[in-house]
Each structure stands twice: as structure tokens, then as C-alpha cells.
Amino acid sequence: MNIEMIDAAAARLNGIARRTPLLYAPALDAIAGRRVLVKPECLQQTGSFKFRGAYSALSAMDAETRARGILAYSSGNHAQGVARAAQIFDCPAVILMPADAPRAKIEGTRSYGAEVITYDRASESREAIGARLAKERGLTLVRPYDEPQVIAGQGTTGLEIAEQAAKMDITRAEVLVCCGGGGLTAGIALACAARAPGLRVRPVEPEGYDDTARSLQSGTREGNATEAGGLCDAILTPQPGEITFPINARLCGPGIVVSEEEALRAMAMAFRHLKVVAEPGGAVALAAALFHGQEIENEVAVCTVSGGNVDVATFARALEYA
Amino acid sequence: MNIEMIDAAAARLNGIARRTPLLYAPALDAIAGRRVLVKPECLQQTGSFKFRGAYSALSAMDAETRARGILAYSSGNHAQGVARAAQIFDCPAVILMPADAPRAKIEGTRSYGAEVITYDRASESREAIGARLAKERGLTLVRPYDEPQVIAGQGTTGLEIAEQAAKMDITRAEVLVCCGGGGLTAGIALACAARAPGLRVRPVEPEGYDDTARSLQSGTREGNATEAGGLCDAILTPQPGEITFPINARLCGPGIVVSEEEALRAMAMAFRHLKVVAEPGGAVALAAALFHGQEIENEVAVCTVSGGNVDVATFARALEYA
């Protein structure tokens, strides 16, 4: 992994992925006690940053492989990103999704023309189903984070942050990144290290799924007790990635862990003051900026809002805090 | 009013107003039966396009006048725009707001440091209160739409639409604009006429407050039966402006009128497919694109989402359609 791969992904994504703005509001600065800038990747195509990595991976494949079809496992955001990228390339996409994934994400994935196959998390193995399908149909698996071209695609978010911060004369900041398997975190960290070395990445996770925070502390990849059931479905992974973790261990500051209630409160603040829709897993970085200020070392916090694919019932819960 | 005034406003707003993106989603295109592009001015500073006009007006004043203080009447979006612009210039702002304005808008206006004075729409005259205050304190009134520098500021939205459409190789489109007094409509119409003459503006209003649609039809300024009580508080005005109407009569196509329920449904679609928060009055143009396709003549519809300052209870009503 290197910055040239991220630059190459940016060139492929140019005019296809959206360049999201950096938003801010005086009310958020007042709550946080520092300047807060928000990178709303919920406004990205398919409602999350995952489109960047998915399109990067598909555009880097040879055309013949791609034309045979793509396979992905995902609870929803990677699913939609891959489905939309496959739709653009007019190639088949099969997505394995847990039957209990948010309805908005399953419907969203189908709306981009992908074949969605649901499985029961408790009794079925997605790897076994996937391996059978890949063999039968000649599909190529696109991993959600442990895949260099996917990390390169997510890293384009970091290139934009580096450029946008420089334009605002910001040379030092902590960049808070919503962290599941660590692909977005690693991509942004690589881009910032090369282009804006005063911007330090801090991974943010929800309580109970703080594998990256604990792994950064211990220096080895630690797992979570469980992978399912949390509100922050987008960023619940069994453990840090094999490729992503060494990058994050080298480049990131300590992890920050927020509660589910703090994530809901951050969703409410994003609704009220930024007018963007965040999903719980996409709001943890903003929650860290707003409610964990004592753990942040810089006067400026840049927060990713990594996705906005949330069901109405969950969003209504967040609105109770608005 | 001319394009040079809009270019000059754009120069003053550069680096201060946000350049909002043009968003789109395949699901919206499918509902509308044509390509739909959305200009989300809800992401603008203060949550609506009104900041552009307010900052344009204040930045065009001489410094001494501005320092004595600014006065505005508004149910909320112009109020917040003026309050924030005054905050940037560090000058006093007094805003007269109806006591029944949305709570989010009154609190938002106060949060930018303005003095908010509420009045009872039924029994008190805001003009009388305003005239007294202006005299006592030497304040200068910034009108919400019948003011050339305000129209010039709103017109910068149109400059951006013209540039962004050109970049997407779109040379012909209808531009649907949420219309109250007609300032945003006139500003965008002037900008498009000069820079993208294949883009034709269509004002969009809610049922019962379709003064501009009726006036365009009759050729003279018609009034509404009532100014208060509708869900689309941001765009309820007694009649088209004296300055704005002749511009709109010369440059716009026929008005489109949508129901309040269609505005709520459009808010739900903006939540689900674009991840932006629209207020009812800010969603009428998207409602026209989605539900009044038979009245639109072009294959591409560009819609403004003019604001997102909505109370939780109203947003919850919209979510029932998501």
C-alpha cells in the first residue's frame, strides 16, 4: 500500500465518486469546545464511503474477470457500494447479506440491480455459501477492507480532507474516523501521512466493539466477544484486518470508544446543525468530537460521517435527543 | 439587476458561503421518470440559501451603516441568515419573528448572537414595531427578497448550478426553485439566463400559497388569501415582490403547485435517497420533480432543496412516508 495507489484510485474515481464538502456549524464548535469539521460521506453515492472502495476495486480489475461477476459479503454499506459499482460497469453482482440487516440496506442493494441472498447469521456460514457460489458462477470476491484497491479507494477521502483542510489554512488536526475493519481508517491515514502530516488519524468505535482500540494498545490484533446485535451495524467486525491493522498501528493515535447513546445524540446534532442524515455507525466519530473532547489533543477535529443508511425507527430514536 | 451584480456577490461570498454539491440518486430518477439533480442548500451555512443573500447585502453596505446594526423580519431562514452574517461582521442584529415560528428557527437565530423579538401575527404589526426600533436604534432593514443585493446573493446559487450542470454536459434542463417572495427564483433565473440559457427556471409553491403561479398566468401581482398557517412556513409570502416579479415574469416558465403531503413525501425521499434534511418549504421543488412530472418539459430536472430548518415533530411526520 502506498500513496501512488491512492492517487491512481482518485484518478479512476474522478467524476464518478462525489467530492463531499467539509461542513461545520458554530453550535457544534460550542458543544465540542474546539473547531469541528465534518466530512459527510453519507452524501456519497449509495449513502456511504464504501462506494469509493468498491468502485476502486472493480475499476482496477481486468474486464474479463469483472464481466464474470462480483461477489460480496456485507451487512449493507459495502453491499450497496459494490452493487452500484457493478451497475455502472454493467456486470453481475451477488451480495450475501445477513437476514437481520437493516431493511433500508437490503432494499438499497436490490435497487442497484444486485442479486441479494440472505443468510441466518446464527446457523449459516456466509463463507461456505460464498465459496460455493463463487465456484459455480465464476464470481470474484471483493473484500470489504482487507483488499489493497479497496483501501486505496477509501483513501481518496483522505486526499480530499488534506486538500480541503489546507484550503482552510488548517495544518494540524486530529482526524476522527469511524472504524470497523479499518479500511477507511487506513486509507485516510496513508493519505494524510503523505499529504498533510500534521493531520493525525484517531479510530473511533462503539463500546463492546472496540477491537481496534484494544489492538492498538496491545500491539496485536484483538477480537470482539460478538459481531452482531449492536446498533452500529456498519462498523461491527470480528477483529482488525490483516492488511489494515499494521498500517493503522504505524500511523494512528489511540482509539476512542463511544457509547450507543452518544452515537444517537451525535445523529441528532447532525440532523439539527448540519442537515445531514447519519446512521449510528457513521456518527461515532462526531460523537467522539462532541462528547470525548478530553481525549482529543488538537484544537481542530475533523470527523468523518461515514454513512447515512439508517432505518426510520432507528432515526426516530435519535431524534428524541434533538 | 444584472449578472455583474451576481458575479460581484459571488466574489464577496467566496470562501464564506458554502459551494453546495449537485446530488443525485438512481432511485429518484426512477420515481421521476427523468434525471433529477438536487442542489441541497440545506447544507448551506445556517441551513438555508438565505445566508447567501444576507451576507451579500451586509458585505455591500458601508461599514458605518452596518456597525449601527441590522434589522430583519422573518419567520426563520432569512432571520438566521442575517443573524449569522451580522455575527461574521460583528455588528448588532435585531430580528422580529412571529411567536409561532418553528422553535428550531427561533433558537437557531438566537444561537448566532442576534436579539430576537417575537410578536403576535394576529394582533401586532411587525412593520410598526420594526419602524420604531429602526428609528430608536439607527438600525438598517435588510428585506428578505425585494432588495437587489439580496437577489444578487441568492443568484450565486444559480451561478453554481450553471457551472455544475456544464461540467456534467447538461445544457438543457428545467430548474425547479422553491418560491416564496421570489428572490431565489429571480437570482437563479438571472444567473441561468446569462450563463446557461438552456436552463429554464420554474417556480414551485405549495397549494393555497400559489401567488407567483397565478401572477405569472395573469401577468400582474396576485395575493394569497392568507399568509400564515401552512406547513411550508419558509415560503409563505403575501404576494410576489415588486423587484422580483418582473424578473420572474420575463425569465421563468409557468409555476408548479404541489400539496403539503407531496412536500412531506419529498422530504422522506430526500432522507432515504440523498441523506439530507429538507424542511417542507424546502422540499416543494423536489416534490414537483417527483410527483408532477407531466408538467415538466425537459429530460433533466434540477431541484433546489432550499432549506432544512425543520422541527422534530414535522420531520417525524415526513418519515411516515419513508
Side-chain angles (χ1 to χ4, degrees):
Chain A
M1 287 299 315
N2 54 43
I3 187 70
E4 287 73 26
M5 284 177 70
I6 301 178
D7 284 332
R12 297 196 302 277
L13 285 163
N14 184 28
I16 292 169
R18 219 161 260 161
R19 185 182 174 88
T20 52
L22 265 194
L23 304 178
Y24 51 88
L28 297 182
D29 296 357
I31 297 169
R34 55 168 52 81
R35 195 160 169 199
V36 176
L37 301 170
V38 173
K39 182 75 173 166
E41 280 294 303
C42 49
L43 303 179
Q44 189 51 263
Q45 282 213 51
T46 73
S48 91
F49 73 95
K50 290 283 191 180
F51 174 73
R52 295 177 187 259
Y55 188 90
S56 170
L58 265 66
S59 60
M61 270 178 203
D62 73 87
E64 205 178 312
T65 306
R66 192 169 60 214
R68 278 197 302 272
I70 302 301
L71 173 71
Y73 317 130
S74 164
S75 76
N77 284 338
H78 179 59
Q80 291 179 86
V82 169
R84 175 68 180 139
Q87 186 180 47
I88 292 172
F89 282 111
D90 199 20
C91 71
V94 178
I95 316 284
L96 290 178
M97 301 183 74
D100 61 348
R103 200 177 54 102
K105 291 180 175 175
I106 294 178
E107 287 177 6
T109 306
R110 288 208 171 105
S111 80
Y112 299 117
E115 179 183 349
V116 174
I117 299 178
T118 58
Y119 67 93
D120 177 41
R121 279 190 218 249
S123 66
E124 294 183 277
S125 155
R126 66 180 190 183
E127 284 76 13
I129 302 172
R132 181 174 54 74
L133 280 167
K135 200 173 167 192
E136 284 174 11
R137 307 201 199 171
L139 305 173
T140 300
L141 177 68
V142 176
R143 291 188 176 78
Y145 47 86
D146 254 346
E147 159 58 48
Q149 291 297 359
V150 169
I151 298 171
Q154 321 305 28
T156 61
T157 317
L159 291 182
E160 292 176 14
I161 289 172
E163 287 172 22
Q164 290 166 323
K167 216 175 159 184
M168 299 172 83
D169 293 322
I170 294 168
T171 54
R172 300 191 65 77
E174 298 221 305
V175 181
L176 312 180
V177 182
C178 306
C179 184
L184 180 63
T185 307
I188 293 178
L190 286 164
C192 288
R195 296 288 154 73
L199 270 53
R200 181 171 77 149
V201 168
R202 304 282 302 272
V204 185
E205 295 165 299
E207 280 172 15
Y209 305 90
D210 59 344
D211 49 301
T212 292
R214 286 183 285 105
S215 301
L216 288 174
Q217 216 157 18
S218 73
T220 95
R221 293 161 64 219
E222 313 272 351
N224 290 318
T226 168
E227 191 185 341
L231 194 64
C232 300
D233 61 280
I235 54 172
L236 309 183
T237 39
Q239 59 177 13
E242 281 181 52
I243 301 176
T244 56
F245 182 65
I247 298 169
N248 293 333
R250 179 162 59 88
L251 298 176
C252 296
I256 301 175
V257 182
V258 305
S259 70
E260 289 188 346
E261 189 186 316
E262 287 168 337
L264 289 169
R265 295 177 80 94
M267 289 167 67
M269 295 299 102
F271 163 82
R272 190 164 166 192
H273 298 298
L274 299 174
K275 317 302 173 189
V276 300
V277 175
E279 62 182 284
V284 296
L286 180 58
L290 296 178
F291 311 123
H292 288 253
Q294 71 288 356
E295 296 172 55
I296 299 171
E297 286 173 23
N298 205 287
E299 280 171 29
V300 182
V302 180
C303 314
T304 56
V305 167
S306 54
N309 294 313
V310 55
D311 274 340
V312 167
T314 303
F315 199 75
R317 273 180 69 187
L319 286 182
E320 289 172 23
Y321 297 98
Chain B
M1 287 298 316
N2 54 44
I3 188 71
E4 286 73 26
M5 285 177 69
I6 301 178
D7 284 333
R12 296 197 303 278
L13 286 162
N14 185 27
I16 292 171
R18 218 161 261 161
R19 186 184 174 86
T20 52
L22 264 194
L23 304 178
Y24 50 88
L28 297 182
D29 296 357
I31 297 169
R34 56 167 52 80
R35 195 160 169 198
V36 176
L37 302 170
V38 173
K39 182 74 173 166
E41 280 294 303
C42 49
L43 304 178
Q44 188 51 261
Q45 283 212 50
T46 74
S48 92
F49 73 95
K50 290 283 190 180
F51 175 73
R52 297 179 186 257
Y55 187 90
S56 170
L58 266 67
S59 61
M61 270 179 205
D62 72 88
E64 207 177 310
T65 305
R66 193 169 58 214
R68 279 197 302 274
I70 302 301
L71 172 72
Y73 317 131
S74 164
S75 76
N77 284 339
H78 179 58
Q80 291 180 87
V82 169
R84 174 69 180 139
Q87 185 179 49
I88 293 172
F89 282 111
D90 198 21
C91 70
V94 178
I95 316 282
L96 290 177
M97 302 182 73
D100 62 347
R103 204 176 52 102
K105 292 182 175 175
I106 294 178
E107 288 176 7
T109 305
R110 288 209 171 101
S111 81
Y112 299 118
E115 179 183 350
V116 173
I117 299 178
T118 58
Y119 67 95
D120 177 42
R121 278 190 219 247
S123 67
E124 294 182 280
S125 155
R126 66 180 191 183
E127 284 75 14
I129 303 171
R132 182 174 54 75
L133 281 167
K135 201 174 167 191
E136 283 173 13
R137 305 200 200 172
L139 305 173
T140 299
L141 177 67
V142 177
R143 290 188 177 79
Y145 48 86
D146 252 347
E147 158 58 47
Q149 291 298 358
V150 169
I151 298 170
Q154 321 307 27
T156 62
T157 318
L159 291 183
E160 292 176 15
I161 289 172
E163 287 171 23
Q164 290 166 324
K167 214 173 161 187
M168 298 172 84
D169 292 323
I170 293 168
T171 54
R172 299 191 66 77
E174 299 222 307
V175 181
L176 312 180
V177 182
C178 306
C179 184
L184 181 62
T185 307
I188 293 177
L190 286 165
C192 288
R195 295 289 153 72
L199 270 53
R200 181 172 76 150
V201 168
R202 303 284 302 271
V204 184
E205 295 164 299
E207 279 172 14
Y209 304 90
D210 58 344
D211 50 301
T212 292
R214 286 184 287 106
S215 303
L216 288 174
Q217 217 157 17
S218 73
T220 99
R221 291 159 66 219
E222 312 273 351
N224 291 317
T226 170
E227 193 185 339
L231 194 63
C232 299
D233 63 279
I235 55 172
L236 308 185
T237 39
Q239 59 178 14
E242 279 182 52
I243 302 176
T244 55
F245 181 64
I247 298 168
N248 293 333
R250 181 164 55 90
L251 298 176
C252 296
I256 302 174
V257 182
V258 307
S259 69
E260 290 189 343
E261 187 185 316
E262 287 168 339
L264 290 168
R265 295 178 79 94
M267 290 168 66
M269 294 300 101
F271 163 83
R272 189 164 168 190
H273 298 298
L274 298 175
K275 315 303 172 189
V276 299
V277 175
E279 63 183 283
V284 295
L286 180 58
L290 296 178
F291 311 123
H292 288 254
Q294 72 288 356
E295 296 171 55
I296 299 171
E297 287 174 21
N298 206 287
E299 278 170 30
V300 182
V302 180
C303 313
T304 57
V305 168
S306 54
N309 294 312
V310 55
D311 275 341
V312 167
T314 304
F315 199 75
R317 272 180 69 188
L319 287 183
E320 288 171 23
Y321 297 100

